Amino acid sequence: MAAKTISAEKNRGSVWGRLRRNYQKHRGLYWIAVPIVLYFAIFKYLPMFGIVIAFQDYSPGKGFLGSEFVGLDNFVEFLTNPSASRTILNTLRLNFFSLLVEFPAPIILALLLNEVRCGPFKKTVQTFSYMPHFISLVVVCGILTDFSSSIGVFNDIAELLGFERQSMLGNVDLYLPLYIGSSLWQGVGWGSILYLATLSGTDPNLYEAAVIDGAGRWKQMLYVTLPTIVPIMVLQLIMRIGSMMSTGAEKTILLYSPLIYEKADIISSFVYRRGLQEMDFSFGSAVGLFNSVINLILLVSANWFAKKISGESMW
């Protein structure tokens, strides 16, 4: 027992010794990391104590300690609510089609730009594809609302093609394509930056070897370019799947209306109306915790599946 204690103390001392020496060697990096650590501690970890209100009938006047503990009542209320199944299915549907369309688009754009040899043209395309990312979401939704109105540009085009004018955002069947299309327009260029940065570090010798072996541009892309970005693709896909239940309410609230709640209402917009507008904070916290648990399950599952299939994973 004494030998084990001495061994543990030696190991602990060696760890602290290595940490002290590492700090003396990289003191500047440690101080640079302080604001980041404080940010996550204050704004990410400290608010997690508020999860307790998901198990209470929380009242701001009574606070955490004075509010009545109700256990899982808020979770049961959400899952038995007539709107719960609709909002969950709408959230999954929106994220599935967004993943199907928006995930490969930046990859395709990056691969196409990587093949462009005309520098000025390449920079022009990059600039125009990046610019929508810097437009405020409120402005984007305002533009989309105007363009899709009965007198908007989209209806002008539809009329030329023989369709009747309509309020497109009021059509439950057109809402999803408009939502995803606007997100694609705003994010495809910005999303391609990570892949282009990865491709810029590809060893030119690999392409030269491929050319010597008789590979054309298509084969070079398949056997040299794509394998270079596979690790980044897998990590991006895992993170995207791990956030499928956390679609923000901002864009949905700016675009939808009671006419299309059937397919447009998602979990976050439902929680916004119930948790903030009706001031039912416990219910909103319970649904948020439910989302986080489902996202964690999706993240772990996606990571396990990716590791089995491709050998790449987040951990």
Side-chain angles (χ1 to χ4, degrees):
M1 180 64 71
K4 290 183 179 179
T5 303
I6 294 173
S7 177
E9 290 179 354
K10 285 183 178 179
N11 290 334
R12 186 163 57 248
S14 63
V15 170
W16 285 109
R18 288 198 300 269
L19 181 62
R20 184 170 60 254
R21 289 192 297 271
N22 192 269
Y23 170 74
Q24 293 173 350
K25 185 177 179 180
H26 305 287
R27 184 175 302 176
L29 295 177
Y30 276 90
W31 282 105
I32 290 174
V34 168
I36 301 172
V37 173
L38 289 177
Y39 167 79
F40 279 95
I42 296 173
F43 296 105
K44 300 296 181 180
Y45 288 98
L46 190 60
M48 289 177 68
F49 290 103
I51 291 175
V52 68
I53 71 175
F55 304 94
Q56 295 178 327
D57 181 13
Y58 178 71
S59 171
K62 296 179 180 179
F64 294 111
L65 300 179
S67 298
E68 180 186 358
F69 181 80
V70 296
L72 300 176
D73 287 0
N74 291 311
F75 297 91
V76 174
E77 182 183 355
F78 170 65
L79 294 175
T80 56
N81 190 296
S83 300
S85 59
R86 181 193 69 192
T87 55
I88 292 173
L89 287 175
N90 287 344
T91 303
L92 291 173
R93 182 189 300 113
L94 175 63
N95 280 280
F96 173 76
F97 285 107
S98 295
L99 182 67
L100 195 65
V101 174
E102 295 178 35
F103 178 74
I107 300 172
I108 295 172
L109 178 60
L111 292 174
L112 292 174
L113 289 174
N114 189 61
E115 296 298 320
V116 174
R117 295 295 178 260
C118 178
F121 176 75
K122 182 177 181 179
K123 291 179 180 179
T124 302
V125 173
Q126 286 179 292
T127 301
F128 278 98
S129 64
Y130 297 164
M131 285 191 336
H133 173 78
F134 299 99
I135 302 176
S136 167
L137 181 61
V138 177
V139 175
V140 171
C141 292
I143 294 172
L144 183 61
T145 302
D146 290 339
F147 279 20
S148 60
S149 67
S150 57
I151 57 173
V153 175
F154 293 161
N155 271 290
D156 292 340
I157 298 172
E159 189 176 35
L160 289 174
L161 297 175
F163 296 97
E164 294 183 359
R165 288 182 175 272
Q166 60 176 313
S167 177
M168 292 184 171
L169 283 176
N171 187 332
V172 69
D173 295 323
L174 294 178
Y175 174 79
L176 194 61
L178 289 172
Y179 185 105
I180 295 176
S182 59
S183 297
L184 179 65
W185 172 74
Q186 190 176 17
V188 64
W190 186 258
S192 67
I193 291 178
L194 184 61
Y195 300 106
L196 286 170
T198 304
L199 290 173
S200 66
T202 305
D203 188 355
N205 294 326
L206 296 176
Y207 290 104
E208 294 176 5
V211 171
I212 293 173
D213 290 338
R217 299 290 287 274
W218 176 252
K219 290 293 182 69
Q220 290 176 41
M221 185 191 72
L222 287 179
Y223 297 109
V224 179
T225 307
L226 270 178
T228 302
I229 60 174
V230 163
I232 302 298
M233 288 169 54
V234 172
L235 292 179
Q236 291 290 98
L237 181 61
I238 292 172
M239 290 190 290
R240 189 69 181 265
I241 292 175
S243 61
M244 288 189 69
M245 297 290 286
S246 299
T247 303
E250 298 85 356
K251 188 173 183 178
T252 299
I253 292 171
L254 290 168
L255 292 179
Y256 77 163
S257 65
L259 294 174
I260 56 173
Y261 275 177
E262 178 186 350
K263 287 189 177 179
D265 197 22
I266 58 177
I267 292 176
S268 57
S269 58
F270 174 65
V271 170
Y272 168 79
R273 296 196 308 274
R274 179 69 183 271
L276 293 180
Q277 291 185 337
E278 299 180 17
M279 300 185 68
D280 193 346
F281 303 114
S282 294
F283 183 84
S285 297
V287 179
L289 182 57
F290 169 80
N291 273 358
S292 298
V293 172
I294 300 300
N295 280 333
L296 178 61
I297 295 172
L298 290 173
L299 179 66
V300 173
S301 301
N303 187 78
W304 176 85
F305 189 74
K307 192 171 185 178
K308 287 290 184 181
I309 297 299
S310 66
E312 300 289 343
S313 62
M314 295 185 68
W315 65 83

